[in-house]
Amino acid sequence: MEGLPSQVEVPSYFLCPISMEIMRDPVTLSSGITYDRESIERWVFTDGHGECPMTKQQLGAADREPTPNHTLRRLIQGWCAVHAVERFPTPRAPIDAARVETIVDAARRGHDLLVASLRELADIVAESDCNRRCVESTPGAVAFLVSVIKKHAADDTPKPLESQEDQMFGAVVDSPKATSPEDVALSILYSLRLSEGSWKRVLERGDNFLDTMASVLRRPSYLSRTHGIQLLKAAVSEMPPAQLTSASAELVEGVVSVVTDKLSGKAVKIALQVLCRLCLWGRNRVKAVEAGAVGALVELLLDECCGGSKRASELAIVVMDHLCGCAEGRLELVAHKAGLAVMARAVTRVSAAGTESAVRALHAVARHSATPAVLQEMLAVGVVERLLFLVQAGAAGDRPRERAREMLKMHARVWRGSPCFSPQLNASYPS
């Protein structure tokens, strides 16, 4: 512990079994083991473990809320005073649902109280996991936050763009930049980390949450868009396919804009994950292409493999693979001056999953969009060379290798005169 004299030995029962630090707020589980509140709540509620970490006793829903160990806390504070160690402040009692309802009721009374009430709610949520769960479970609290977001997201009043230095991803809920009701409500809703049941209730409400997120993603506020894409990822992961097969053009356009504007490294990765989910279906693919997704992905891949992020590169290639599943996507890819070149590079420079997606996308182009000009460009930018490497090396797995072989056989008449074809390969792919 920082500030503790080296010769002082801390009693073992003052230490949290998880963090091995002196407990600031000791609480006891039904198993009889005492932990520091922050550590055990992270273990149970954030990390999702369903058992006591020491005894491995399974914890039912009613057993997960720990009981404050006031006696041990007083012993620790007394020991700190005797040994000239800085005392921990007495923790505040967890909030209750009645207090949350009072704050929400005050926020509903008028605009003057709205931001102040929302900020108070944000402070409560940030204080502890216990408070976060209390706010989530309070009837009407989550619905109220969604209504605030919906109301202000629909307001098209122009606002000045935030500066580049204000784009910090994951801004804390008490950020001085989060001054609008919408920004604060978005940050609270994200901080709540809603459970599956809460998301189900949000998505079943009459007001369409996806339409609200589409409006948020069109706002000029970086903070709103950042929280919006985070919430959208959580929402689509809980939605059944039937609700995702026909996403609105505005929603898809908003997600693509996060990639186009390169809002932040993490925000771009989240937007790519959302596109991976949405573009499993043909109608959404066409909407993404019309929103400029192909050009945005090519530019992202040109940016030194997404700014050095291997995961972002892989996600971008997977999305491109989905888009090449429709004629519009293939047309946009071959029309882009660097489209085929970045896909050629992706064949051997990202990952095994990236290779498989890149080869599948190129296979779709070679099979359905292979004009003479496209075939010559594939030869010129290195696609054929990469395909030959896959066939000869066989390091990317059987399926990419088989697709590469199919493409080479499909267009051997055009490509076999290339210098990268050895005499032995020419014999293997006769015209």
Side-chain angles (χ1 to χ4, degrees):
M1 176 182 171
E2 187 176 349
L4 184 67
S6 57
Q7 68 273 18
V8 175
E9 183 176 352
V10 181
S12 60
Y13 53 92
F14 286 0
L15 303 178
C16 173
I18 296 176
S19 67
M20 298 308 295
E21 298 279 344
I22 295 180
M23 290 182 277
R24 293 172 174 268
D25 185 9
V27 293
T28 304
L29 290 182
S30 59
S31 62
I33 307 299
T34 298
Y35 302 90
D36 188 59
R37 182 185 291 277
E38 181 180 354
S39 296
I40 194 59
E41 288 189 344
R42 185 186 306 114
W43 169 271
V44 174
F45 297 106
T46 304
D47 299 340
H49 298 288
E51 76 282 345
C52 171
M54 292 295 289
T55 67
K56 303 304 178 186
Q57 174 184 323
Q58 290 298 313
L59 302 171
D63 300 325
R64 297 191 176 194
E65 290 294 343
T67 302
N69 191 328
H70 298 298
T71 300
L72 182 56
R73 179 172 55 78
R74 284 194 291 268
L75 287 173
I76 292 173
Q77 290 185 329
W79 180 88
C80 289
V82 169
H83 292 85
V85 176
E86 182 181 357
R87 295 178 62 186
F88 301 126
T90 301
R92 289 196 290 180
I95 201 75
D96 57 26
R99 177 59 185 154
V100 176
E101 290 177 348
T102 300
I103 295 170
V104 171
D105 288 342
R108 288 193 173 110
R109 290 175 190 160
H111 187 273
D112 291 342
L113 294 173
L114 180 59
V115 173
S117 298
L118 286 172
R119 285 197 169 278
E120 184 178 357
L121 206 56
D123 291 338
I124 289 170
V125 170
E127 190 170 296
S128 69
D129 274 349
C130 184
N131 287 355
R132 176 183 63 79
R133 295 191 304 277
C134 179
V135 172
E136 179 185 359
S137 62
T138 300
V142 171
F144 169 70
L145 293 171
V146 174
S147 69
V148 171
I149 296 167
K150 181 178 177 64
K151 176 182 178 181
H152 290 269
D155 179 12
D156 293 327
T157 304
K159 294 181 181 180
L161 283 170
E162 296 167 8
S163 65
Q164 188 73 16
E165 63 187 20
D166 296 334
Q167 296 186 46
M168 293 183 63
F169 184 84
V172 293
V173 292
D174 59 349
S175 164
K177 295 297 179 182
T179 54
S180 74
E182 176 194 18
D183 285 343
V184 182
L186 279 165
S187 63
I188 295 171
L189 196 60
Y190 172 69
S191 299
L192 288 177
R193 302 194 299 274
L194 298 181
S195 64
E196 181 179 347
S198 293
W199 271 120
K200 185 177 180 180
R201 288 188 289 274
V202 168
L203 297 171
E204 287 177 347
R205 285 172 56 85
D207 48 341
N208 193 318
F209 183 77
L210 294 187
D211 288 345
T212 300
M213 290 300 100
S215 298
V216 168
L217 293 177
R218 292 197 301 270
R219 303 287 286 175
S221 166
Y222 287 110
L223 193 58
S224 291
R225 296 172 72 195
T226 293
H227 289 308
I229 197 65
Q230 291 171 316
L231 288 168
L232 183 59
K233 178 193 172 186
V236 299
S237 67
E238 299 293 342
M239 295 178 69
Q243 288 183 270
L244 294 173
T245 52
S246 56
S248 69
E250 291 77 13
L251 178 68
V252 177
E253 182 181 346
V255 177
V256 172
S257 73
V258 174
V259 180
T260 304
D261 297 342
K262 298 180 181 177
L263 199 62
S264 71
K266 194 170 182 180
V268 167
K269 280 191 280 189
I270 292 175
L272 292 172
Q273 290 171 332
V274 173
L275 286 173
C276 284
R277 179 92 166 118
L278 293 176
C279 292
L280 291 172
W281 297 278
R283 284 176 289 182
N284 291 344
R285 293 172 184 172
V286 174
K287 291 169 186 172
V289 172
E290 291 174 347
V294 172
L297 294 171
V298 171
E299 294 300 322
L300 196 63
L301 289 166
L302 281 173
D303 184 19
E304 288 300 318
C305 286
C306 303
S309 172
K310 183 176 179 180
R311 179 59 177 157
S313 298
E314 188 177 280
L315 288 168
I317 296 164
V318 171
V319 177
M320 190 73 84
D321 175 23
H322 289 327
L323 298 183
C324 285
C326 67
E328 293 83 354
R330 295 190 296 272
L331 182 63
E332 286 293 316
L333 178 65
V334 300
H336 196 291
K337 292 181 180 180
L340 290 174
V342 297
M343 295 308 290
R345 184 172 66 173
V347 167
T348 56
R349 287 187 57 178
V350 178
S351 65
T355 294
E356 184 168 357
S357 294
V359 170
R360 187 163 47 232
L362 290 169
H363 186 271
V365 171
R367 186 171 184 178
H368 301 291
S369 306
T371 65
V374 168
L375 293 177
Q376 288 301 321
E377 185 177 356
M378 292 177 81
L379 184 62
V381 300
V383 171
V384 177
E385 183 181 354
R386 299 302 208 288
L387 297 178
L388 287 167
F389 173 79
L390 285 184
V391 170
Q392 292 175 307
D398 293 337
R399 193 58 185 143
R401 186 180 185 186
E402 185 58 33
R403 283 199 176 96
R405 186 180 287 111
E406 287 177 13
M407 283 186 272
L408 291 170
K409 287 182 178 179
M410 200 183 305
H411 301 296
R413 185 185 299 274
V414 177
W415 292 338
R416 68 195 308 269
S418 167
C420 58
F421 269 75
S422 65
Q424 293 83 0
L425 286 170
N426 277 324
S428 301
Y429 302 100
S431 58

